[in-house]
Amino acid sequence: MLPSNLKRSLLLSALEIVAVIISLIGVTLTIRRNMWCWGFNFIACALYAYFFFTIKLYGETILQFFFIVMNVYGFYYWLKGKRQDHDIRIEPIAKTTVVAQMGLAIVFGLIFGLILKHFTDAAVPMLDSQLVAFSLLATYWTSRKHIATWILWIFVNIIYVGMFSYKEVFLTAGLYAAFVGLAAYGWWQWEQVKQKQMAHS
């Protein structure tokens, strides 16, 4: 019989591996503007919600539930656009909107961080909360098909690599390092699609 602590460690390791694989599939499908991305992302969020809770990253745990809601919204919004245009079109976003929404993300992150700091035993409350805020914003931009989502994801994921390395969950840190590269590729890929759409219109 294996000790209970070892069993739990092996279970979490297996869970992290599965979550990493499904997350990579989900992001790859998002870059390809494939509707299946939302299903894979939904499953990845559910797995990571439990995983993050076990390592006391409560902001990330709550974030996964927001992601689940955004996955449902994103699926609906993409499906609606596909029915109208027979393709998933890239949409522009005004610079003033970007600044305003990022400002709101900072304020939300600060308030959420103070709540985590004073009412929980969260490991890194302020950093965790800001990453949550900007991840939510990036996910919203993804659902609205704004290219800016990939630029924001690049910066957010770089910081995530540092946080997960600090928490010694190196497989997840490696996943987010891969996300940096995938986000850069997604930015380039969506720019190509945007240019084609502009040429056709």
Side-chain angles (χ1 to χ4, degrees):
M1 293 287 291
L2 292 173
S4 59
N5 287 343
L6 180 57
K7 282 184 178 179
R8 183 171 179 272
S9 179
L10 290 173
L11 177 62
L12 286 177
S13 295
L15 176 66
E16 187 181 12
I17 290 170
V18 173
V20 164
I21 293 171
I22 294 176
S23 296
L24 285 172
I25 295 172
V27 173
T28 302
L29 290 174
T30 302
I31 292 171
R32 297 178 64 86
R33 297 175 301 135
N34 187 302
M35 292 294 295
W36 282 99
C37 71
W38 300 108
F40 280 94
N41 290 335
F42 185 97
I43 296 170
C45 289
L47 293 174
Y48 263 119
Y50 176 77
F51 178 76
F52 287 140
F53 181 78
T54 63
I55 60 174
K56 296 184 179 182
L57 288 177
Y58 302 129
E60 299 309 312
T61 302
I62 295 171
L63 176 62
Q64 301 312 306
F65 290 104
F66 279 110
F67 277 168
I68 287 172
V69 173
M70 289 303 299
N71 276 315
V72 174
Y73 172 76
F75 174 80
Y76 166 76
Y77 193 80
W78 280 32
L79 184 63
K80 180 181 176 182
K82 195 169 186 179
R83 284 172 177 168
Q84 292 174 347
D85 303 325
H86 307 291
D87 193 10
I88 298 168
R89 297 181 60 81
I90 307 301
E91 301 291 343
I93 183 172
K95 290 182 180 179
T96 53
T97 302
V98 170
V99 172
Q101 291 180 353
M102 290 187 73
L104 287 173
I106 292 171
V107 173
F108 170 77
L110 179 61
I111 295 171
F112 186 42
L114 291 172
I115 292 172
L116 290 178
K117 182 177 180 179
H118 293 290
F119 296 102
T120 75
D121 60 344
V124 281
M126 300 308 294
L127 177 61
D128 193 10
S129 63
Q130 287 295 338
L131 287 171
V132 165
F134 281 100
S135 293
L136 284 173
L137 179 58
T139 303
Y140 174 70
W141 285 354
T142 302
S143 71
R144 302 294 294 186
K145 300 168 289 184
H146 299 318
I147 286 180
T149 187
W150 297 114
I151 303 171
L152 183 54
W153 275 127
I154 289 171
F155 288 102
V156 168
N157 288 330
I158 288 172
I159 300 173
Y160 265 126
V161 171
M163 185 179 74
F164 290 134
S165 296
Y166 169 75
K167 287 296 294 179
E168 298 183 352
V169 282
F170 298 113
L171 188 58
T172 297
L175 170 66
Y176 278 76
F179 281 169
V180 174
L182 286 171
Y185 176 70
W187 183 10
W188 176 82
Q189 183 73 14
W190 281 31
E191 280 287 355
Q192 305 308 305
V193 173
K194 178 184 176 182
Q195 295 302 322
K196 289 179 181 178
Q197 289 175 178
M198 291 175 64
H200 287 128
S201 62

